[in-house]
Amino acid sequence: MIFDGAMISPAALLASPLDRRPGAPPRQRQLIQRLRSAILAGQFPAGARLPSSRTLSEELGISRNTVLIAYEQLTAEGYVVADRQGTRVAALSRAPVRSAPGPAAPAAAAARRLERITQARQPRAGSPPFTAGTPALDQFPLGAWRRALERALRESPAATLDYGDPLGEPALREAIAQHLRVSRGVRCEAAGVVITEGAQGALSLCVQLLTNPGDAAWLEDPGYRGAKAAFYAGDLDVTGMRVDADGIVIPESAWTRPPRLIQTTPSHQYPTGAVLSLARRLDLLERARRAGAWIIEDDYDSEFRHLGEPIAAMQGLLPDAPVLYVGTFSKTMFPSLRLGFLVLPQAIAGATLTAAAEMLRGGRRLDQLSMAAFIGNGQFARHLGRMRRLYRERQAALRDALAAHLGVDHEVLGGHGGLHLTLRLPPEFPDRALAAQARQAGMNPGALSSFALAPRPEDNGLVLGYGNTDASRYPALVKRLARLLRQMT
Ligand SMILES: Cc1ncc(COP(=O)(O)O)c(C=O)c1O
């Protein structure tokens, strides 16, 4: 009998042992799934206490961190709530799910898709120090942006409240095309630019417009989780391609089954920071062209180059390159603006643009008009210049603090640009457990292995964002990380 508010025994929690056979799902995932199903099935009442992580880990013979991460995931998903006394079953507002009606096979396929999309998900709650990808929010010129918005509001006729051009406001598409031609060497006209909801909207649009379920697609591994989510959502047959110091590595044998889409971040590989070498760029372009594959060039943070000369986009290297160029204002402006863009290659622009126009609605016109004005009147370029200097200073401060205070063997990857550094750590410091403990300690580094489709020993480390944290804070923050590392040995 399980009582409301009473402790659930480990035996009641897991009627049968976890599957430890080779090839079985990771224990952490098994544990999460069992607890989720039991709670959804109404097996435990709201308020019942889960065993402590120590008790459960001892009973199950698994590491305490595995249990802690499972509890944290269930907390993030709302199945349980954590308080000073421990972890309790949450009060779910609806009746427990019993048997799901409907056809089993499609439901199973959909469940598999959701499971893949959410694999290695990391809870997101604000942007504590080390959160990757967040720009310097408190340095954004809010006053200038407010004036741009007010002006757009004041000067726009009532007709602006209607649906706009589904591909985006012509003024913004023109401003982006010009900016990309000049600063990124992209070959484009405004007509081939589509405004999307951030880079994520552009990635999803590529999948929707150009693929069929089951098509082969290649992702950088480790790579960007947003791209993985978009590819899995399209039921693509995803293969991870390893990344080394010169960017994505595609083995010769892979081309015997060419993909439909190849995702890359050539200017600044996410998360390792590698820059794709010119030789590999040219080879990839040539092979993709021959194979009829499309390369997605996600140029998400290339405006912030810190070392060496700016590297032009891959899209502009050859005329008619088989490249879908993706960009975003999430780093250069701010993430909640949710404005990104896709530049379609001329060869597919006609029918694809017509289809895209049917799928999009042309909203957020005032934001788009303000953004066009911001670029047009030079405020965007000024802001970029200021932020480039700021991020260089922050990166240098983080590097110094790591060298002075981390106290364990590590390798710093990347740093040519962007808003993050990646730290490779020895295997005795398992990164997911470390990242979970860092979150408890008020920091939010990413676990490098959680960016990998199939993590290898070298994928152990931390992704450290430095965009949104003042340079003066790094010594103390790195000392805090060093304490967590020491506790692991
Ligand atoms: C590789 C990569 N692409 C794109 C983005 C930005 O996505 P969005 O424009 O949807 O905010 C990020 C943000 O972290 C990123 O790391």
Side-chain angles (χ1 to χ4, degrees), residues 134-141 303-306 331 382-398 418-419 466-472 474:
T134 308
L137 302 177
D138 63 355
Q139 298 297 313
F140 182 74
E303 281 88 353
F304 303 120
R305 174 120 179 120
H306 308 314
K331 320 287 162 195
R382 270 199 299 286
H383 175 55
L384 287 185
R386 262 190 72 225
M387 291 303 103
R388 220 173 269 131
R389 287 189 291 281
L390 184 81
Y391 296 142
R392 271 177 209 167
E393 178 195 318
R394 290 185 173 182
Q395 189 197 109
L398 174 57
L419 309 176
Y466 52 78
N468 194 32
T469 304
D470 192 80
S472 63
Y474 289 115

Side-chain angles (χ1 to χ4, degrees), residues 271-450:
T272 67
V275 179
L276 188 61
S277 68
L278 181 61
R280 284 198 194 161
R281 285 173 191 235
L282 291 170
D283 186 56
L284 183 56
L285 286 168
E286 194 44 46
R287 283 177 178 266
R289 194 203 300 277
R290 268 192 266 142
W294 294 110
I295 300 165
I296 298 180
E297 176 174 18
D298 180 355
D299 212 24
Y300 65 107
D301 70 0
S302 59
E303 281 88 353
F304 303 120
R305 174 120 179 120
H306 308 314
L307 292 174
E309 290 299 303
I311 298 178
M314 202 169 150
Q315 191 266 15
L317 274 180
L318 303 175
D320 303 322
V323 173
L324 304 144
Y325 179 90
V326 170
T328 178
F329 290 111
S330 285
K331 320 287 162 195
T332 51
M333 294 286 285
F334 52 94
S336 69
L337 185 59
R338 305 308 306 133
L339 284 181
F341 41 92
L342 171 64
V343 180
L344 285 169
Q346 201 111 56
I348 54 167
T352 315
L353 280 171
T354 313
E358 280 304 301
M359 294 161 66
L360 302 171
R361 284 295 171 270
R364 314 261 310 284
R365 299 182 67 185
L366 292 168
D367 281 340
Q368 293 195 40
L369 290 168
S370 307
M371 191 65 232
F374 217 67
I375 297 174
N377 64 21
Q379 277 167 317
F380 183 60
R382 270 199 299 286
H383 175 55
L384 287 185
R386 262 190 72 225
M387 291 303 103
R388 220 173 269 131
R389 287 189 291 281
L390 184 81
Y391 296 142
R392 271 177 209 167
E393 178 195 318
R394 290 185 173 182
Q395 189 197 109
L398 174 57
R399 278 181 185 278
D400 290 349
L402 288 169
H405 306 298
L406 197 66
V408 301
D409 263 359
H410 65 272
E411 190 186 347
V412 178
L413 308 178
H416 288 262
L419 309 176
H420 73 273
L421 286 175
T422 294
L423 208 58
R424 189 176 273 153
L425 288 169
E428 57 266 34
F429 306 107
D431 60 6
R432 295 188 198 203
L434 183 58
Q437 285 173 11
R439 280 197 292 279
Q440 307 256 338
M443 302 173 286
N444 190 28
L448 179 56
S449 69
S450 70

Side-chain angles (χ1 to χ4, degrees), residues 24-103:
R27 281 161 212 168
Q28 179 183 317
R29 203 181 320 150
Q30 291 187 49
L31 185 57
I32 292 172
Q33 275 168 352
R34 301 260 198 116
L35 294 176
R36 254 196 220 127
S37 319
I39 293 170
L40 274 183
Q43 213 169 313
F44 310 121
R49 293 202 172 280
L50 267 55
S52 74
S53 55
R54 189 181 302 277
T55 310
L56 193 57
S57 70
E58 281 165 9
E59 287 282 333
L60 300 180
I62 57 179
S63 87
R64 192 165 165 217
N65 276 326
T66 303
V67 178
L68 280 173
I69 294 172
Y71 279 9
E72 191 177 328
Q73 178 72 25
L74 291 166
T75 308
E77 292 178 7
Y79 288 87
V80 298
V81 288
D83 60 18
R84 284 226 184 84
Q85 280 88 47
T87 307
R88 285 181 292 108
V89 174
L92 299 181
S93 59
R94 57 189 179 76
V97 175
R98 303 235 179 253
S99 64

